[in-house]
Amino acid sequence: MSTARSTSARDVIIACDFPSREQLFSFLDLFGESRPYLKIGMELFYATGADMVRELKNRGHKIFLDLKVHDIPQTAHNTMRVLRDLDVDMTNLHCAGGIPMMEAALAGLTRDDGTRPLLIGVTQLTSTSAETLRDQLLITQPMPDVVAHYAANAKTAGLDGVVCSPHEAGIVHENLGEEFLTVTPGIRFADAAADDQHRVTTPTQARHIGSDFIVVGRPITAAPDPLAAYQRCVKEFVAE
């Protein structure tokens, strides 16, 4: 069973944002015997359910279950009690729920023997621009300050790390230590479009900034050769 880890090791997580089991496995068949780390988000989880997660674990994949729990503390606690039995490697919640919610979720995720998946908090989505933060969410502080504050709350609540853009990973580590994990989406190759992301960077840049995990979707899943794109991403991010 998974346990929260205390040391950092870089890894590339593929965002499997597919609408069906069939499309997911057609994609994974391209990887042969390789078992990359996978992110299962709301679209696929709601379409296929918990059995899909169990099947992927049985096949040997590490799983980041990306459901972004955000509710009152008791509901967050009860939800995590359900998710803990899936034996995923990582799951998450929204830091915007506050410290009591994060503490309750962590308690719910922890099994009777003390083991649990990694729990990370979403600070601000990489699709959120500074203008959206100010004009729609009425948060007037600069994005790096907001992310750093949310991350500090997550650490106070006992979480293992946060989801942030690569641009804020260095700030998070500087303020909260190297052991506090940064999981960073918004990754694009230097020769690719940003799509709907605003705060993006390349795998190499993310490595230099200090990301612990990068989450990569369309640059791999929509590539003409997904395996080659994944291998390129690993080479650029994991290489010393």
Side-chain angles (χ1 to χ4, degrees):
M1 290 190 132
S2 300
T3 58
R5 84 191 199 353
S6 59
T7 58
S8 176
R10 296 189 195 101
D11 209 343
V12 174
I13 303 175
I14 302 176
C16 294
D17 297 323
F18 299 103
S20 70
R21 180 187 185 282
E22 291 72 24
Q23 286 175 270
L24 171 65
F25 279 100
S26 292
F27 171 75
L28 293 179
D29 284 345
L30 301 173
F31 289 76
E33 296 301 312
S34 178
R35 295 292 183 264
Y37 206 137
L38 307 178
K39 180 182 81 71
I40 304 302
M42 289 181 278
E43 180 180 12
L44 185 60
F45 187 80
Y46 293 155
T48 61
D51 285 344
M52 169 60 67
V53 175
R54 295 187 182 97
E55 185 173 357
L56 291 170
K57 286 295 296 182
N58 288 336
R59 285 169 60 108
H61 292 280
K62 291 183 178 180
I63 301 295
F64 167 25
L65 186 59
D66 176 27
L67 300 184
K68 300 183 179 72
V69 172
H70 186 184
D71 215 305
I72 64 172
Q74 188 62 53
T75 300
H77 177 277
N78 294 343
T79 300
M80 290 297 179
R81 281 185 63 88
V82 174
L83 297 182
R84 73 184 188 183
D85 293 330
L86 293 180
D87 194 30
V88 297
D89 299 273
M90 183 189 304
T91 191
N92 63 355
L93 47 69
H94 268 291
C95 293
I99 292 173
M101 186 206 77
M102 291 190 278
E103 291 175 333
L106 183 65
L109 191 64
T110 303
R111 307 180 186 98
D112 293 340
D113 63 1
T115 63
R116 61 174 176 82
L118 293 168
L119 182 59
I120 59 174
V122 178
T123 53
Q124 291 294 325
L125 300 174
T126 51
S127 60
T128 300
S129 65
E131 292 74 22
T132 298
L133 199 71
R134 181 190 67 235
D135 299 336
Q136 298 181 30
L137 303 181
L138 302 183
I139 298 175
T140 57
Q141 299 300 311
M143 180 72 75
D145 293 349
V146 173
V147 170
H149 182 66
Y150 279 29
N153 286 344
K155 186 170 185 179
T156 296
L159 271 62
D160 301 294
V162 291
V163 181
C164 61
S165 90
H167 297 283
E168 290 106 33
I171 296 171
V172 170
H173 283 307
E174 181 179 346
N175 291 340
L176 302 174
E178 293 300 319
E179 294 298 307
F180 193 69
L181 300 175
T182 53
V183 180
T184 60
I187 302 297
R188 295 292 183 268
F189 293 121
D191 51 359
D195 297 313
D196 57 355
Q197 307 279 12
H198 288 276
R199 299 176 354 262
V200 302
T201 193
T202 68
T204 300
Q205 291 168 331
R207 171 166 57 89
H208 289 308
I209 291 169
S211 298
D212 295 297
F213 297 89
I214 56 173
V215 179
V216 188
R218 283 164 288 187
I220 294 175
T221 59
D225 186 341
L227 177 57
Y230 170 71
Q231 291 170 335
R232 174 186 175 185
C233 199
V234 170
K235 182 178 180 180
E236 291 185 13
F237 180 64
V238 179
E240 294 295 341

